[in-house]
C-alpha cells in the first residue's frame, strides 16, 4: 500500500514538474528572442527573466529525481522560485499589460509572455504547497529500504 501511494504522489509531482519545465523553456524562448535581437545592448530585465526561467527549468528537472523531493529545503527553494516568478510578472506586467499592440507582434508576444510568467508563478506556488504538505506528512516516516530507522 505504501509503494502505491508513493508512486501516485511521485507521479503527480512529476506531472507538475514537467509542466513547470515546459513553461520555463517557453519563457526562455519568448524572452531569448528579444535578447537575440538586441546583441549590442542587453537590458538587465531580460537577463533576469532568462536567469529565473533557467533556474526554474534546472530545478524542475532535478525535482524529477525521487529522493530529492524528500529534502526539507525543497519547499523553501520552491517558494524562492515562486517569489522570483512573481517579481518577473510584476516587472514585465507593468511594462506590457496595458500596452496596445496595434499589430506589433513583438508587443503581443511580450504580453503573452507576461501571462506565461504568471502561470509559472502559480505552478511554483502549487508546488510549494504540495511539497510542504508532503514533507510535513512524511517527516517522521521510516526509511524506505529497511523500514527500521526513523528518518
Amino acid at each position: 500500500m505504501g509503494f502505491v501511494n508513493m508512486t501516485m504522489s511521485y507521479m503527480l509531482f512529476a506531472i507538475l514538474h514537467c509542466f513547470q519545465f515546459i513553461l520555463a523553456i517557453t519563457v526562455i524562448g519568448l524572452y531569448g528572442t528579444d535578447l537575440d535581437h538586441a546583441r549590442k545592448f542587453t537590458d538587465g530585465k531580460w537577463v533576469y527573466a532568462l536567469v529565473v526561467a533557467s533556474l526554474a527549468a534546472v530545478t524542475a528537472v532535478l525535482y524529477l529525481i525521487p529522493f530529492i523531493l524528500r529534502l526539507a529545503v525543497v519547499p523553501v527553494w520552491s517558494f524562492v522560485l515562486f517569489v522570483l516568478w512573481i517579481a518577473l510578472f510584476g516587472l514585465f506586467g507593468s511594462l506590457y499589460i496595458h500596452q496596445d499592440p496595434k499589430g506589433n507582434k513583438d508587443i503581443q508576444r511580450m504580453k503573452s509572455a507576461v501571462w506565461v510568467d504568471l502561470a509559472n508563478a502559480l505552478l511554483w506556488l502549487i508546488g510549494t504547497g504540495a511539497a510542504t504538505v508532503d514533507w510535513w506528512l512524511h517527516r517522521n516516516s521510516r526509511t524506505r529500504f529497511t523500514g527500521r530507522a526513523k528518518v
Side-chain angles (χ1 to χ4, degrees):
M1 187 70 157
F3 179 73
V4 172
N5 290 337
M6 184 201 75
T7 303
M8 180 57 80
S9 67
Y10 174 72
M11 291 305 293
L12 292 175
F13 273 112
I15 291 168
L16 174 69
H17 298 312
C18 285
F19 280 122
Q20 289 170 337
F21 177 76
I22 291 167
L23 287 181
I25 295 299
T26 302
V27 167
I28 290 171
L30 290 169
Y31 288 95
T33 302
D34 279 352
L35 270 181
D36 185 45
H37 291 153
R39 291 177 191 235
K40 293 180 183 176
F41 176 72
T42 303
D43 192 356
K45 296 173 195 164
W46 276 261
V47 173
Y48 173 73
L50 291 179
V51 168
V52 170
S54 298
L55 285 173
V58 169
T59 301
V61 169
L62 287 176
Y63 282 0
L64 290 174
I65 302 170
F67 71 87
I68 288 181
L69 292 174
R70 297 290 182 215
L71 300 175
V73 74
V74 167
V76 175
W77 178 245
S78 294
F79 182 74
V80 168
L81 284 172
F82 163 70
V83 170
L84 292 174
W85 279 112
I86 284 295
L88 183 65
F89 171 72
L91 177 67
F92 282 96
S94 66
L95 292 174
Y96 288 105
I97 286 180
H98 298 295
Q99 280 200 2
D100 185 16
K102 297 178 186 167
N104 188 340
K105 293 188 187 272
D106 291 335
I107 292 177
Q108 185 58 47
R109 178 176 37 81
M110 292 309 296
K111 285 179 72 111
S112 299
V114 168
W115 297 113
V116 175
D117 296 339
L118 181 62
N120 267 307
L122 293 175
L123 284 178
W124 283 101
L125 179 62
I126 292 167
T128 299
T132 302
V133 168
D134 187 59
W135 177 80
W136 184 262
L137 292 176
H138 296 101
R139 71 186 188 286
N140 292 325
S141 63
R142 303 208 176 250
T143 60
R144 273 187 239 166
F145 300 111
T146 63
R148 290 181 274 181
K150 282 200 172 202
V151 179

